[in-house]
């Protein structure tokens, strides 16, 4: 029997890798996409085949986490074996600019999904994209028993989603799990997250297209892993005998400064000659250090990450240098249009 999965956030970094993984395992994959005035499916275009084809395995449906009735109709119609709720306003700095929207999508969006599962009466397993941001001010190492202390509207919204997922597990016997994932990155990472911002800037500086990049707090420590390995962990959580919550992390923490240094050095550049400070990249409250302990996932799911932040920096620089070589100036302009035509690769946030 072919398994069916529904992925919200399929156009995002994780959604695209998860769709790839599920298709490679023979799943029929359904994805929720938002209607936009321009195409927003670049990360999954390579997976798409004409839905009229008998070989079609990927199906996209318009919808939004703010539209509960639509979610009920969709779930009833698709009747998936597994639901992966990855959609969210996922940028921490942006959540301070748009706290209410973040609460609606990243927080209330989850209860709309869970209610849609319950009201449509389908039998499915449910994955919730929880985050290491839940730990916030609690010092590392962090595991499933570490107390939460959210430090942003994003983290507060994810805290609600974490608890409501757990509540639906206990109240209704739903196979619902929280994956508490530490930062994970890739060449498909959104361009305004710090790793990708750095590796894109390195590529542009190396090519002589810009001189500097403006950054915020370089002292923050993050446990950066590789996104394709993390979506494998999500899938494993839904294959377990019993529902449980799991941390996914590499256990290796490095500062933003060290990531900068490795990325620039990899391209033969000195980061100190190119990095400038701009306070607009600071957050009103910062998360100083996240380093995860994923012993439970290693022991119970057999999940083992192989790429840490240092290796990621090199891998992502190589990918961005190659992308720039391939696509040229248009590659930079694509993001600058969204950042009010800042003349260099900065991102607005
Ligand atoms: P991402 O690249 O920002 O993707 C977010 C996805 O959510 C996109 O497909 C986006 O659609 C969709 N989306 C946003 N608002 C929506 C709405 N109202 N209705 C429907 N779809 C909506 O995020 P990611 O890095 O792949 O992360 C996936 C999930 O894991 C997120 O929930 C994130 O908060 C969480 N998480 C991420 C990390 C990490 O390090 N990457 C760590 C822990 C947890 P558009 O393409 O149309 O914008
Ligand atoms: O920031 C510092 C910044 O935006 C990392 C999301 O996927 O992971 C992500 O959240 C650190 C922070 O990710 C700049 O202050 C310095 O300390 O890449 P980021 P994040 O906030 O850790 C968690 C686990 C999620 O769940 C989220 O969805 O880097 N930093 N200078 C900067 N950050 C940015 N973006 N830009 C800078 O110029």
């Amino acid at each position: 029997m072919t398994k069916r999965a529904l992925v919200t956030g399929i156009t995002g970094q994780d959604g695209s890798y998860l769709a790839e993984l599920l298709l490679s395992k023979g799943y029929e994959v359904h994805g929720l996409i938002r209607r936009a005035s321009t195409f927003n499916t670049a990360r999954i275009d390579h997976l798409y085949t004409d839905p009229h084809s008998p070989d079609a395995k990927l199906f996209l449906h318009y919808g939004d986490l703010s539209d509960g009735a639509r979610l009920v109709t969709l779930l009833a119609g698709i009747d998936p074996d597994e639901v992966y709720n990855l959609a969210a306003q996922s940028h921490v700095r942006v959540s301070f600019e748009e706290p209410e929207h973040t609460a609606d999508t990243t927080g209330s969006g989850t209860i709309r999904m869970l209610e849609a599962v319950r009201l449509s009466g389908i039998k499915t397993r449910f994955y919730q994209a929880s985050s290491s941001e839940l730990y916030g001010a609690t010092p590392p190492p962090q595991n499933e028993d570490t107390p939460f202390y959210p430090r942003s509207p994003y983290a507060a919204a994810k805290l609600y989603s974490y608890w409501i997922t757990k509540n639906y597990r206990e109240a209704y016997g739903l196979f619902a799990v929280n994956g508490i994932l530490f930062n994970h990155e890739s060449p498909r990472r959104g361009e305004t997250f710090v790793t990708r911002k750095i590796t894109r800037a390195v590529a542009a500086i190396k090519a002589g297209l810009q001189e500097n990049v403006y950054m915020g707090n370089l002292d923050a420590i993050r446990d950066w892993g590789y996104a394709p390995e993390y979506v494998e962990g999500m899938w494993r959580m839904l294959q377990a005998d019993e529902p449980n919550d799991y941390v996914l992390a590499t256990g290796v923490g490095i500062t933003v400064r060290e990531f900068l240094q490795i990325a620039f050095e990899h391209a033969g550049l000195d980061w100190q000659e190119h990095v400038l400070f701009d306070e607009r990249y600071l957050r009103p409250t910062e998360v100083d250090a996240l380093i995860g302990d994923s012993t439970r996932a290693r022991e119970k799911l057999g999940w083992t990450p192989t790429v840490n932040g240092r290796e990621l920096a090199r891998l992502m620089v190589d990918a961005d240098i190659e992308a720039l070589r391939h696509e040229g100036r248009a590659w930079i302009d694509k993001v600058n249009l969204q950042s009010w035509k800042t003349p260099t690769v900065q991102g607005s946030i």
Side-chain angles (χ1 to χ4, degrees):
M1 280 278 284
T2 303
K3 272 192 172 181
R4 259 193 313 279
L6 170 65
V7 180
T8 74
I10 195 167
T11 55
Q13 171 190 256
D14 290 6
S16 68
Y17 285 118
L18 180 64
E20 254 169 42
L21 178 79
L22 296 172
L23 289 169
S24 76
K25 291 184 181 296
Y27 279 66
E28 179 180 301
V29 177
H30 294 258
L32 184 79
I33 60 166
R34 299 197 282 184
R35 193 269 157 182
S37 66
T38 52
F39 291 124
N40 58 1
T41 53
R43 289 187 179 105
I44 51 169
D45 283 346
H46 64 291
L47 300 174
Y48 196 70
T49 48
D50 186 332
H52 303 99
S53 154
D55 300 329
K57 287 278 191 186
L58 173 64
F59 301 92
L60 301 178
H61 309 268
Y62 284 116
D64 196 295
L65 287 198
S66 60
D67 184 351
R70 173 62 174 148
L71 300 178
V72 177
T73 318
L74 262 183
L75 277 159
I78 298 168
D79 190 11
D81 301 287
E82 296 170 11
V83 173
Y84 296 86
N85 185 34
L86 309 185
Q89 190 303 94
S90 70
H91 201 288
V92 173
R93 181 69 184 84
V94 172
S95 78
F96 287 98
E97 315 287 336
E98 298 187 47
E100 197 176 328
H101 167 70
T102 303
D104 191 39
T105 303
T106 309
S108 302
T110 307
I111 188 67
R112 291 192 193 100
M113 284 297 293
L114 286 164
E115 272 295 89
V117 168
R118 197 173 70 85
L119 295 173
S120 59
I122 61 168
K123 195 145 180 48
T124 190
R125 295 187 170 202
F126 185 89
Y127 174 87
Q128 171 57 25
S130 285
S131 165
S132 53
E133 282 291 301
L134 296 174
Y135 300 117
T138 311
Q142 293 107 352
N143 68 17
E144 295 83 359
D145 299 320
T146 304
F148 298 139
Y149 191 147
R151 294 269 286 172
S152 64
Y154 167 80
K158 283 285 185 190
L159 184 72
Y160 172 76
S161 289
Y162 169 91
W163 281 113
I164 201 66
T165 299
K166 219 170 158 103
N167 178 248
Y168 270 53
R169 179 162 83 215
E170 293 168 1
Y172 303 114
L174 184 66
F175 192 111
V177 309
N178 283 291
I180 308 172
L181 271 51
F182 283 61
N183 301 50
H184 45 280
E185 320 290 312
S186 74
R188 293 187 202 165
R189 183 60 144 151
E191 290 88 347
T192 60
F193 294 97
V194 77
T195 54
R196 189 79 200 287
K197 176 173 166 178
I198 292 170
T199 61
R200 278 173 52 88
V202 167
I205 292 167
K206 183 72 181 168
L209 293 170
Q210 75 180 60
E211 286 201 357
N212 301 315
V213 60
Y214 287 87
M215 305 287 307
N217 173 23
L218 305 187
D219 293 323
I221 295 171
R222 289 292 182 276
D223 175 337
W224 282 293
Y226 187 39
E229 297 186 336
Y230 284 52
V231 302
E232 164 82 26
M234 295 175 188
W235 176 77
R236 287 186 185 219
M237 287 179 213
L238 290 198
Q239 313 314 308
D241 292 338
E242 297 295 330
N244 205 346
D245 303 324
Y246 295 91
V247 160
L248 299 186
T250 71
V252 178
I254 63 174
T255 58
V256 173
R257 184 178 292 100
E258 189 181 347
F259 191 97
L260 268 171
Q261 185 189 337
I262 295 169
F264 274 81
E265 271 178 18
H266 189 58
L269 298 166
D270 180 350
W271 72 276
Q272 299 197 68
E273 292 174 7
H274 301 281
V275 175
L276 303 173
F277 173 72
D278 186 337
E279 65 178 12
R280 80 176 151 145
Y281 298 115
L282 299 178
R283 288 126 195 237
T285 39
E286 175 62 292
V287 171
D288 293 330
L290 295 172
I291 306 173
D293 166 9
S294 57
T295 305
R296 181 187 288 175
R298 288 167 202 254
E299 290 180 353
K300 305 264 186 229
L301 305 177
W303 179 82
T304 321
T306 65
V307 182
N308 66 36
R310 297 187 178 94
E311 288 137 7
L312 258 177
R314 298 186 193 102
L315 178 162
M316 289 173 66
V317 165
D318 287 342
D320 274 330
I321 287 177
E322 188 53 34
L324 182 52
R325 200 172 287 146
H326 209 64
E327 296 173 42
R329 178 80 217 182
W331 178 81
I332 292 187
D333 291 340
K334 195 169 62 185
V335 173
N336 285 340
L337 284 173
Q338 291 159 20
S339 31
W340 298 284
K341 293 203 184 272
T342 315
T344 53
V345 173
Q346 306 294 351
S348 58
I349 296 287

